């Protein structure tokens, strides 16, 4: 069974449409706000928000970012060794409770690591849309992924540990 992509699986110009979409509920937003201690009334106070530009509470941007990032994992970073960098994170339009978010990522660049040639650095741009087709978020990121040869070795090691238990004894 495989999850994610190896370096060789990425081609510059490829576009991955992340599916399914994700409807963001009021509960999702409130829980995220409380977990992250973001008590801005624009997100948690309906009466306050009713008197603002959008006349309703906005979903906190970090939640939208986190959901979109998570949606992209199977296609972009499922085999990642590390997320190296996020840049140009842009919140392009508000997201409201009940909005459904869809996303896609385009491969912008790829190169083998100069210090560890058994892995590569892939740069993608991810764009998120709501159910009305409005762009709500975009960002770029660099991901360190294994080459196929390294991935095969890592998978072999994992299978061996599972078969023999953590301490090397048979299960």
């Amino acid at each position: 069974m495989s999850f994610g992509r190896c370096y060789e699986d990425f081609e510059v110009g490829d576009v991955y449409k992340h599916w399914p979409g994700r409807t963001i509920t009021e509960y999702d937003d409130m829980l995220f706000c409380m977990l992250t201690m973001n008590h801005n009334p624009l997100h948690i106070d309906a009466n306050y928000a009713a008197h603002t530009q959008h006349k309703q509470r906005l979903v906190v941007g970090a939640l939208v970012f986190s959901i979109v990032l998570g949606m992209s994992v199977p296609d972009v970073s499922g085999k990642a060794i590390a997320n190296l960098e996020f840049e140009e994170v842009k919140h392009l339009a508000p997201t409201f409770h009940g909005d459904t978010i869809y996303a896609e990522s385009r491969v912008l660049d790829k190169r083998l690591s100069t210090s560890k040639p058994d892995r590569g650095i892939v740069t993608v741009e991810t764009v998120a849309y709501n159910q009305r087709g409005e762009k709500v978020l975009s960002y770029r990121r660099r991901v360190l992924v294994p080459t196929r040869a390294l991935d095969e070795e890592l998978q072999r090691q994992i299978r061996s540990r599972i078969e023999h238990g953590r301490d090397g004894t048979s299960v």
Side-chain angles (χ1 to χ4, degrees), residues 33-151:
C33 284
M34 295 305 110
L35 287 171
T36 60
M37 299 181 66
N38 183 343
H39 301 139
N40 183 320
L42 189 56
H43 304 302
I44 65 172
D45 184 332
N47 185 52
Y48 173 88
H51 296 90
T52 65
Q53 172 185 353
H54 297 291
K55 309 289 187 225
Q56 61 182 308
R57 288 173 290 164
L58 303 180
V59 173
V60 66
L63 175 58
V64 178
F65 175 82
S66 295
I67 287 173
V68 172
L69 177 62
M71 290 170 68
S72 73
V73 167
D75 296 312
V76 175
S77 57
K79 290 187 181 287
I81 296 166
N83 280 303
L84 299 175
E85 180 180 14
F86 291 90
E87 62 183 4
E88 295 190 40
V89 177
K90 297 177 184 175
H91 295 276
L92 304 168
T95 299
F96 303 106
H97 301 150
D99 279 353
T100 301
I101 302 301
Y102 301 93
E104 63 184 38
S105 295
R106 180 184 354 193
V107 179
L108 301 177
D109 187 45
K110 67 181 254 189
R111 66 176 176 80
L112 285 172
S113 170
T114 54
S115 60
K116 295 186 177 183
D118 62 351
R119 53 204 74 188
I121 299 168
V122 177
T123 304
V124 299
E125 179 178 47
T126 300
V127 178
Y129 304 86
N130 63 23
Q131 71 277 10
R132 294 177 297 280
E134 301 162 335
K135 288 183 184 179
V136 297
L137 175 79
S138 67
Y139 62 86
R140 290 187 190 165
R141 73 171 161 149
R142 286 184 180 76
V143 182
L144 185 65
V145 295
T147 60
R148 193 163 286 112
L150 176 59
D151 183 59

